[in-house]
Amino acid sequence: MLAAVQKNATRGDPRSVVKAIDQFCRQKEWAMNVGDEKGCILDSVVTEVNPATVLELGTYCGYSTVRIASLLPSNAKLITLEFNPDYAAIACQVIAWAGLEDKVQLVEGASGDWIPKMKEKFGIETFDLVFLDHWKDRYLPDTKLMEECGLLRKGSILLADNVICPGTPDYLEYIRNSPRYKSQYFKSHLEYTKVEDGLEKSVFLG
Ligand SMILES: Cc1ncnc2c1ncn2[C@@H]1O[C@H](/C=C/CNC(=O)c2cc(-c3ccc(F)cc3)cc(O)c2O)[C@@H](O)[C@H]1O
Ligand SMILES: [Mg+2]
């Protein structure tokens, strides 16, 4: 995938990096990027929220990191957590190829370890937007952890990938029934396939 980016995408052009990865995953080898169809929904949420602070859980190869960072205002900050060093190394190069390294802080480590350190290590008060796309059984514990650490403010937006496929039943049950969130489901398809999947957008009510 990285070779495809370096061969087909233009340095400093995030859209060409996104296109190169999507082309590679459609033509050569499927990969678990959020993809172009759900990616458009992601783009519209990022544009609508216009966040100053973003947390991404699960960088993988940096596809959604590039999509999000390319839409952020100049002073905005995107912190992305990835605990697999091999994926982190690839993502770092993909983000650099897109010319977005100044907007992105890629942190190598587990979300559970780093979420409690966000304030002291990065001077983050609260996140305006969180994109959840890591192991599906971590969405709920990490959401509760973000609440406990005071990282969500009235109006913070959580956007979760794969709430249908592979599915995040415990997270959906919690977020749709909690009086502290207002949720909305965006129906779509699993990246590069016709299988149903979707994104769940939830506003923290404080
Ligand atoms: C606690 C913790 N801390 C830090 N990094 C963490 C972390 N937990 C995981 N990570 C990291 O994040 C990525 C993991 C992503 C998991 N995503 C999926 O499993 C996924 C799967 C599919 C899929 C659908 C149908 C199929 F048939 C097969 C696969 C589609 C998707 O879109 C997915 O996101 C990966 O880079 C992993 O190292
Ligand atoms: Mg996903």
Side-chain angles (χ1 to χ4, degrees):
M1 184 191 293
L2 179 60
V5 165
Q6 292 167 338
K7 179 166 171 283
N8 304 321
T10 311
R11 267 187 181 285
D13 175 0
R15 301 315 303 172
S16 72
V17 169
V18 167
K19 192 163 167 293
I21 294 174
D22 284 331
Q23 235 164 10
F24 176 81
C25 293
R26 280 193 183 286
Q27 292 161 10
K28 297 281 185 324
E29 188 186 321
W30 188 90
M32 58 185 179
N33 316 117
V34 72
D36 43 0
E37 191 181 320
K38 288 185 288 179
C40 286
I41 301 167
L42 171 63
D43 292 353
S44 60
V45 172
V46 174
T47 308
E48 173 202 339
V49 177
N50 196 35
T53 53
V54 185
L55 176 62
E56 176 179 60
L57 301 176
T59 315
Y60 187 42
C61 296
Y63 174 91
S64 47
T65 321
V66 167
R67 279 198 92 116
I68 296 167
S70 70
L71 297 172
L72 294 182
S74 49
N75 59 334
K77 196 88 194 124
L78 164 56
I79 295 178
T80 183
L81 303 183
E82 174 53 58
F83 66 12
N84 178 309
D86 301 326
Y87 291 149
I90 300 288
C92 187
Q93 295 173 81
V94 167
I95 293 158
W97 197 270
L100 292 165
E101 51 276 58
D102 296 347
K103 289 215 164 92
V104 177
Q105 173 107 40
L106 172 50
V107 178
E108 210 174 304
S111 51
D113 298 338
W114 280 95
I115 285 171
K117 296 179 192 162
M118 282 299 147
K119 293 184 192 257
E120 73 180 277
K121 293 279 180 194
F122 303 107
I124 297 272
E125 273 313 301
T126 57
F127 286 106
D128 300 327
L129 173 65
V130 181
F131 181 55
L132 298 94
D133 195 20
H134 56 337
W135 291 158
K136 308 313 161 194
D137 61 2
R138 292 297 313 171
Y139 284 26
L140 182 53
D142 284 350
T143 297
K144 290 181 171 172
L145 189 56
M146 286 187 285
E147 289 174 13
E148 284 152 27
C149 297
L151 287 170
L152 304 178
R153 54 141 175 100
K154 191 169 167 19
S156 289
I157 301 287
L158 302 187
L159 187 64
D161 189 25
N162 310 116
V163 295
I164 302 299
C165 175
T168 62
D170 59 343
Y171 173 79
L172 273 191
E173 154 84 20
Y174 174 78
I175 208 90
R176 287 176 173 174
N177 297 311
S178 164
R180 304 183 75 186
Y181 294 90
K182 175 94 184 69
S183 281
Q184 188 182 0
Y185 173 61
F186 290 82
K187 184 173 164 36
S188 185
H189 295 95
L190 177 67
E191 48 268 27
Y192 318 117
T193 76
K194 293 188 173 12
V195 173
E196 183 181 340
D197 187 21
L199 300 171
E200 188 81 359
K201 178 189 169 195
S202 306
V203 185
F204 185 61
L205 302 173

